[in-house]
Amino acid sequence: MGDTKNTTGTATPAPALSPEEKMIQDGFNELLQDYLHSNHRRKVERITKAFIFANQAHAGVKRRSGEPYIMHPIAVAKIVCKEMGLGSTSICSALLHDVVEDTEYTVEDIRNMFGDKIAQIVDGLTKISGGIFGSQASAQAENFRKLLLTMSDDIRVILIKIADRLHNMRTLGSMLPAKQFKIAGETLYLYAPLAHRLGLFSIKTELEDLSFKYEHPQEYELITKKLEATEEARNQLFEHFAAPVHEKLKAMGLHYEMKARVKSAYSIWNKMQSKGVTFEDIYDIYAVRIIFDPLPGVDEKNQCWDIYSAITDIYRIRPDRIRDWVSRPKANGYQALHLTVMGPDGQWVEIQIRSRRMDDIAEKGFAAHWKYKESNVEEDTELDKWLQTITEILESPDPNALDFLDTIKMNLFSSEIFVFTPKGDIKTLPQGATALDFAYALHSDIGNHCIGAKVNHRLVPLSHVLASGDQVEVLTSRSQTPQPEWLNFITTARAKSRVTAVINRARKEAAKEGERIVGEAIRKAGLEPTTADIDRLTMYFGFSRREEFFYSVEKGDVILPDNIKKLLRDKRDSGLFKYVKQALAMAVKREKATPPTKAPENAPTPHKELPKYDKKKPYVLKEEAFERNYVLADCCKPIPGDEVLGFINDDGNIVVHKRSCPIAMRLKSSFGERILNTVWGGRMSSSFEATLEVKGIDSIGVLNVITKTISEQFNVNIIRLLIEAKDGVFEGKIKMKVHDVEDIQQMCLTLSKIKNIQSVSRVAD
């Protein structure tokens, strides 16, 4: 700022900055440097104005870590600028993203100072400021709807929100463990797949790894250490592999860089879990990436194939592992040519070939498209199509909160296949999509009237799973309507929402007809139908809701008796009537409080008063029979030694889940306030159920050796034993009672040393 002069003419130095002010100023200077190194137009004054305004608005406020609050908006702005490649509008919005929520300033104040666009983005961020997830499931679904709807207004809202979540994850260490589980759970459940869908590959990877670090610290540390221990060996393999490739590419006159990309800790762990293998059994821990600067006048796609040709001249290719994302980019904009070859050391090596532009888009996502797009060109991008699909789902009536989130998530996570229409048009569908999904992808009417399909000119049922490259012709009939069983095999969110809407509509119409039939039957008996009489009949036939009762009457599942008058009078006079009336009143009250949709498994009642637990310290799981203060979840059956968390159910009991349990993942995402950090209370004397899967070479006496080892060496009681042998190999599941994870680990180690046994692992029952 410069020195000032006093009355005597000597210079007075500017007051020194306090350590806190220096930290803030240094952080902002780093942001400006990142911005000045980008290729955006220089709008430093605008960014400086936003910083000064935000700094003044948040003055004196601290984060939980103790640092000034303004450091968070600065960090989010740096992510937006450097890691996403966005410009001054997004940077200003990131700096201001918490001002309206946390201070007295309004969106109108932001509009007056920074214009409509920044005000619109800040307003969008404020509306979803509570995170995607509220304290109740209904609020959660509503917040998620708001978030997705803002995407179609301005995609920068969700990009800044993801940057906000990334910084929160980077600083999650200062939070309480129960809060860590909640935030890590919802990050893995929705933010990571959202980042993936928007093409933010490096951010998606970091979000997954940070979630993994807090949810499974021991596994994270183990895999990280193993990656460090094997780094030197991997570097040697890479150098050995790269030498002849360098020679060939230089001879072609290419400017390029070649580097080894190591698989993330979370991806390795995920593969270990899904395949049931050890770290050592994963062969694709690293891949080679070749990033080239295009030669003048040569098409990027052709250059990718030229490099492919050069590599396959040196190494033998694996034909089933070629992935051409250059000719047909993924839905998130990703472009690259993937191939797998046999390296000089006898190991399969995956190679990813990209231009500099493709690499930018792969790392920074759709934001990078804007850098390469001509300003006067309108693109009907895959992102626009995806946003259109999301908007259609949002318009479907009354989705249950968790089912709704699962439906969205299903399409966020999906890998893609490409399917052709009879005329040769390409449709992108998620992996596992069926012929019926394809019909709905063409048009809702075609899906609603679909009776079958021809795949590659062969007749197939609606449930037929499609593969990339299939040519599909849909067969329809005007008399066909969506059936409830269709929900068992459709996979796309669009198809699911369409089928559910039609079925619900038909169900309501059938219930109206059923109501008319019931009314007529009561009048025929000489009575006037009343709400009380209808409720009595509903309860008598075993239904909790009138609509279900009416529907069953219309469908013929319930036959009304001829002596309906006697039935109603008997029920009115019986001593049971008072109880029935109370039960009905409770049921009706509950129905009014919640939408009439099927409750997902393990979903608690939203408005339940729960007992208070101290979340600042771990909840100790007591073992004694009379003092046992928890219930084990049936979905994952945890045992002592497993990494677990507690969930407070509607009865106020603690239900213990494994942290990796899919049901626990949904509960963490949706009901974070009910999550407890739990620890096992020492060595347990009680026994717990666990299941081992054993695979090996079939030989005489091997089963006898396995059972004898388990019973004699470990003094374990076997509950169930299922062994199946085929073509010289066997696999079996052994269910037993154990004390803790240590028993299981010792057993796996001992059994794996038996001759002809190939693998032993613990599995879900």
Side-chain angles (χ1 to χ4, degrees), residues 325-346:
W325 303 116
V326 173
S327 306
R328 180 71 185 175
K330 287 188 181 184
N332 62 9
Y334 179 82
Q335 272 187 291
L337 182 58
H338 291 200
L339 63 149
T340 301
V341 299
M342 178 62 76
D345 299 285

Side-chain angles (χ1 to χ4, degrees), residues 2 30 85 269 613 619 659 662 722 749:
E30 286 173 20
W269 178 78
Y613 293 92
Y619 182 83
R659 288 187 206 164
L722 293 170
L749 190 64

Side-chain angles (χ1 to χ4, degrees), residues 451-521:
I451 55 171
K454 284 184 178 178
V455 174
N456 305 326
H457 309 293
R458 185 171 60 86
L459 195 63
V460 298
L462 299 177
S463 58
H464 178 81
V465 177
L466 302 174
S468 252
D470 281 347
Q471 189 172 37
V472 186
E473 180 186 350
V474 177
L475 308 175
T476 60
S477 165
R478 296 312 301 174
S479 61
Q480 175 71 296
T481 55
Q483 304 300 311
E485 56 268 22
W486 288 8
L487 293 169
N488 297 329
F489 54 78
I490 52 178
T491 64
T492 61
R494 179 193 176 99
K496 189 176 179 183
S497 66
R498 289 292 178 270
V499 172
T500 304
V502 173
I503 289 171
N504 286 347
R505 196 159 54 242
R507 202 176 174 90
K508 281 178 184 173
E509 287 169 8
K512 277 184 185 175
E513 178 61 18
E515 186 176 8
R516 188 191 63 76
I517 294 168
V518 171
E520 275 187 12

